[in-house]
Amino acid sequence: MDQGEDRFTMVEGPVVTAADPWDPESRTADLSRAAELAVPATDEADPLVPPLRSGLPGLLTHTRGAVRRCLAGLLGAGLVAALPMHFFVGRVDDTVIAAPALSDLLGGFGLLLLPLMWLAYFTVSALPLVICLAGATAVAVAEAATGSLPSPRAAARLVAYRLRPLWLWFAAFGVVTQALPLLLTTDRLGPAVAAPLAAGLALISTAVLTFLGMLGCVVLIERDRGPRRAAHLCSPATLGGPVLASLAVTVLPRLAEAAWGAIASTVVAVVSVLLWAITAMVAYAQARRAEGPVTSASLFAELSRPELD
């Protein structure tokens, strides 16, 4: 082989350094498929997808970066979620207190409304989580892929088709975290178990919220998949960040309510839920990276594809 012939150089794809264009055997390079042959961009510098080897530090770094870049869009989602968070999401045991009043007002028929009240509570209580996760996912993925924040209309368009299944899943899992405190009380179990009970319920709520974050991202981006897919992605994911964020959602609003009142609790709840949503999105992206090359652009393409359901 001659030194000046058939050598290749990698410049965003294979390029012939020297070749004879009049070669009768057509040994010249065909560069018409350069886009197909180009090496996919790695996620080493991707603003949303942490490298696999970065672990928890990489996840936290990418989460902070996403929050900083998308703060304006996240505030918009938080303002929308604040209304149901403050006015419509009450404590489920309030329905038990309201039951005698309903009974006196409507006779015995009032007690029949109690299951409907619980169902309405479980449904509405999931709405702030749905709004924050859907809004954070749309804003963070679009910003990372395009370099600019999407408009509220564009962000809503990205996730509008998946809000119903997302809401249904969140309401179903919300039964676990919201009904247990009603069934397991110190009045029934005794005051001696108050501290272990509170710790156990907080752990259950944290575990459910951690899984819900992954499930929500699966429903929004992969669309036709559900809990089994989310459980599969939890294995390679760095769950330290989502667990801490879920614990903050469980504990901080209650502490804020005890210290400063309901309005402060709502503010803390909205902020903590938004951080939980962004952390879940970054953890999901990192888990997807374990399966193959994934970038913000590829996630945005999945999120933007037309609804086929």
Side-chain angles (χ1 to χ4, degrees):
M1 179 184 299
D2 295 337
Q3 294 182 351
E5 198 173 44
D6 295 331
R7 290 182 300 164
F8 291 82
T9 302
M10 297 302 296
V11 183
E12 298 296 332
V15 179
V16 177
T17 302
D20 183 6
W22 307 108
D23 188 351
E25 296 182 10
S26 299
R27 291 179 298 176
T28 57
D30 180 11
L31 300 181
S32 61
R33 297 173 62 243
E36 299 177 16
L37 297 174
V39 179
T42 64
D43 64 348
E44 296 298 326
D46 193 283
L48 192 63
V49 184
L52 286 175
R53 62 177 179 271
S54 64
L56 182 59
L59 185 143
L60 295 179
T61 299
H62 281 66
T63 300
R64 287 194 300 268
V67 171
R68 184 177 62 254
R69 296 189 310 271
C70 304
L71 185 58
L74 295 177
L75 288 177
L79 290 175
V80 176
L83 185 65
M85 186 83 76
H86 184 74
F87 290 103
F88 298 109
V89 180
R91 294 181 58 85
V92 69
D93 49 9
D94 290 341
T95 62
V96 179
I97 297 174
L102 282 175
S103 181
D104 294 339
L105 181 64
L106 302 175
F109 180 74
L111 292 177
L112 298 178
L113 296 179
L114 187 57
L116 296 178
M117 294 172 64
W118 287 350
L119 180 61
Y121 168 81
F122 293 136
T123 302
V124 178
S125 65
L127 183 58
L129 295 178
V130 171
I131 294 173
C132 289
L133 183 62
T137 298
V139 170
V141 173
E143 190 280 333
T146 64
S148 60
L149 288 175
S151 66
R153 183 185 297 272
R157 191 182 303 117
L158 288 174
V159 295
Y161 292 107
R162 304 307 297 164
L163 290 181
R164 183 175 62 180
L166 183 65
W167 196 349
L168 291 176
W169 279 118
F170 275 33
F173 278 90
V175 175
V176 177
T177 57
Q178 303 293 339
L180 285 179
L182 177 64
L183 300 176
L184 303 177
T185 63
T186 55
D187 294 336
R188 296 182 179 182
L189 302 178
V193 300
L197 179 62
L201 292 176
L203 290 177
I204 292 174
S205 177
T206 299
V208 172
L209 283 173
T210 301
F211 180 74
L212 279 180
M214 189 67 68
L215 174 62
C217 294
V218 168
V219 172
L220 287 171
I221 295 180
E222 301 182 40
R223 303 197 178 202
D224 55 347
R225 299 189 177 185
R228 182 175 299 180
R229 171 64 173 168
H232 172 74
L233 288 176
C234 284
S235 178
T238 302
L239 293 180
V243 167
L244 292 176
S246 300
L247 183 61
V249 173
T250 301
V251 175
L252 294 184
R254 297 180 182 179
L255 296 178
E257 183 176 11
W260 301 297
I263 295 179
S265 176
T266 300
V267 174
V268 172
V270 170
V271 172
S272 59
V273 170
L274 285 173
L275 291 176
W276 163 81
I278 287 291
T279 306
M281 183 64 242
V282 175
Y284 167 80
Q286 191 177 39
R288 286 285 305 272
R289 182 64 185 87
E291 299 180 330
V294 172
T295 63
S296 300
S298 66
L299 293 176
F300 182 66
E302 291 184 61
L303 191 64
S304 305
R305 64 188 174 95
E307 180 66 26
L308 301 177
D309 297 343

